[in-house]
Amino acid sequence: MDKNQRTIEEEKMNLEKDLFKVKDPKNGNQSLRPFTIQKYMERVRKMEDDLEEYPLRFVYDNQNNTDFVEFLKNSYSTNAQNYLSVIITIFTKISKYKKMLKPKTIERMRATMKEGINAAEERAYANTKNQSLNVTFKEYVDAVQNLDTKKFTDTEILLLRLYTEIQARDNFGKLLIWPDDNDLESDKNYYIMDKGKIVLNDYKRVKTHGKRVYTISRDLKKFVDVMIENMNKGTNVNQEYLIARKNGNMYAKGELSTHYRKLTNKLLGKNININDIRRAKISDVLGKKSTTMEDRKKLAYNMMNSLKMQTDVYNRTN
């Protein structure tokens, strides 16, 4: 199998090193993440235990038949595609394994993997349709509009109100307070005071969706104007970020989502996360007979997802 006649044990020892050289197109052609490599190696070892033979050798020796694919289907059922992904990566991305398998063998494995992925999506879709909303959008909006302002800080009220208007992901923790559209940097997020605009340049899927600009309502802008004015009279004079800790510091990654769940628990008596609000909003829009395709496209743009994801993943029954 190996031109240098290295033993199977040597091959196994070097496989992990070889995987670190593989580039991941889904991650900007960066090297595979250590976590991904760890999972790959675990699957290789699992296949070896179940086959009682080194899986790369088995694939190579049986590439003219469907024995390996059938083994995966029988052994791992709905997870077969995850194991196929490892084998395909090794035989198509690592130089010394390339061209060892016939093209039709790779094609057969890719077709089987696609079947598995499609089946997994169908199962997820079916499960989604059987789930109900943790909160309706109307329930959330009504609760925010009628909250007791004595029980929440201005920043907390702002965060709760923002999600009645903009159902982005956890993207409000790095909003720099900025007077106008001048001198904006392309890799930072801003709240533009004079226009009441939120500009997102730095978020998880920016490479896919690009810059996003949202305009908050006139009423919410008035609230923010007063909040910033009061902020500058208090202890956090010239605070950089619109939504920040009490000491003015920015929330660390993931902490704003945790804080938001605590706020919704205080508001509604149950833990509601950001994705719950996104599902509620999409279900609300798609549940109206008057909703047009333009309405759906606008919603998908604002929420940074696709029309398919709207229907298949986020839409829920009330």
Side-chain angles (χ1 to χ4, degrees):
M1 179 178 178
D2 187 88
K3 291 181 180 180
N4 297 321
Q5 297 300 309
R6 291 182 302 173
T7 66
I8 295 296
E9 288 305 315
E10 288 174 330
E11 284 187 31
K12 286 192 283 187
M13 288 173 60
N14 287 305
L15 179 59
E16 188 168 359
K17 295 177 184 177
D18 292 332
L19 284 169
F20 272 104
K21 299 174 186 177
V22 173
K23 304 300 181 183
D24 183 4
K26 294 181 181 178
N27 189 30
N29 269 339
Q30 300 294 313
S31 298
L32 289 176
R33 294 185 175 94
F35 175 78
T36 302
I37 293 172
Q38 179 186 346
K39 285 293 182 185
Y40 277 17
M41 293 304 297
E42 287 174 0
R43 287 168 186 161
V44 169
R45 287 190 285 269
K46 171 68 173 169
M47 286 187 282
E48 183 176 18
D49 289 342
D50 294 337
L51 276 168
E52 297 183 349
E53 184 176 347
Y54 189 48
L56 304 192
R57 170 71 69 178
F58 187 89
V59 171
Y60 179 76
D61 290 342
N62 292 277
Q63 60 179 302
N64 291 325
N65 56 52
T66 61
D67 286 0
F68 181 68
V69 169
E70 292 305 315
F71 157 76
L72 291 182
K73 286 181 178 179
N74 293 332
S75 301
Y76 308 125
S77 183
T78 57
N79 290 318
Q81 68 272 12
N82 296 329
Y83 291 84
L84 273 170
S85 175
V86 177
I87 296 299
I88 292 171
T89 297
I90 292 171
F91 279 100
T92 61
K93 300 294 184 183
I94 297 177
S95 58
K96 65 172 167 273
Y97 293 108
K98 285 182 179 179
K99 298 183 179 179
M100 284 189 172
L101 298 185
K102 296 175 182 178
K104 68 177 183 180
T105 303
I106 297 292
E107 288 172 12
R108 184 167 60 238
M109 288 195 293
R110 280 184 169 144
T112 304
M113 184 173 71
K114 188 174 181 180
E115 288 173 9
I117 291 171
N118 289 340
E121 288 179 350
E122 287 297 323
R123 288 192 298 274
Y125 176 73
N127 289 336
T128 292
K129 289 304 168 186
N130 291 328
Q131 293 176 3
S132 60
L133 292 168
N134 292 327
V135 63
T136 66
F137 193 63
K138 183 179 185 304
E139 181 185 356
Y140 177 70
V141 172
D142 287 347
V144 172
Q145 289 177 343
N146 296 297
L147 62 77
D148 185 346
T149 56
K150 295 178 181 178
K151 294 182 178 180
F152 299 87
T153 67
D154 284 350
T155 300
E156 291 172 342
I157 293 172
L158 171 60
L159 184 59
L160 289 166
R161 289 187 63 176
L162 274 173
Y163 280 101
T164 67
E165 298 191 7
I166 305 168
Q167 294 76 43
R169 292 180 173 86
D170 178 10
N171 297 322
F172 298 135
K174 296 188 287 187
L175 297 176
L176 288 165
I177 300 172
W178 215 253
D180 50 43
D181 284 329
N182 295 319
D183 302 319
L184 302 182
E185 296 182 33
S186 61
D187 60 346
K188 289 183 170 59
N189 298 336
Y190 297 93
Y191 172 72
I192 311 298
M193 292 176 61
D194 67 340
K195 302 281 181 61
K197 290 195 306 186
I198 288 174
V199 179
L200 298 180
N201 291 305
D202 179 17
Y203 61 93
K204 184 177 180 180
R205 302 190 67 189
V206 68
K207 290 182 180 179
T208 302
H209 300 293
K211 175 182 176 181
R212 283 290 187 265
V213 179
Y214 305 92
T215 301
I216 62 176
S217 67
R218 185 178 301 178
D219 186 57
L220 186 53
K221 182 182 181 302
K222 288 180 182 178
F223 178 85
V224 175
D225 288 343
V226 173
M227 176 180 146
I228 293 174
E229 184 180 340
N230 292 335
M231 193 187 297
N232 289 328
K233 293 177 183 177
T235 56
N236 297 328
V237 176
N238 299 322
Q239 178 175 310
E240 282 191 280
Y241 297 97
L242 181 64
I243 295 176
R245 296 176 172 278
K246 290 181 180 179
N247 61 7
N249 292 336
M250 183 178 70
Y251 280 98
K253 185 178 180 180
E255 288 184 344
L256 192 61
S257 295
T258 301
H259 184 54
Y260 181 78
R261 284 198 300 272
K262 291 178 180 177
L263 292 180
T264 56
N265 190 27
K266 187 175 177 181
L267 178 71
L268 296 160
K270 53 185 175 181
N271 285 319
I272 301 298
N273 61 37
I274 292 169
N275 270 339
D276 286 325
I277 299 303
R278 288 166 61 80
R279 295 182 191 108
K281 176 62 176 179
I282 287 177
S283 300
D284 180 68
V285 172
L286 297 190
K288 295 175 181 176
K289 293 182 179 179
S290 59
T291 295
T292 65
M293 181 55 70
E294 284 305 309
D295 293 329
R296 289 191 60 190
K297 287 179 179 178
K298 182 179 178 181
L299 182 66
Y301 176 88
N302 287 340
M303 297 183 71
M304 293 175 274
N305 58 30
S306 66
L307 294 176
K308 187 178 188 307
M309 185 170 285
Q310 273 185 5
T311 304
D312 292 358
V313 178
Y314 281 103
N315 190 28
R316 295 290 195 273
T317 54
N318 290 337

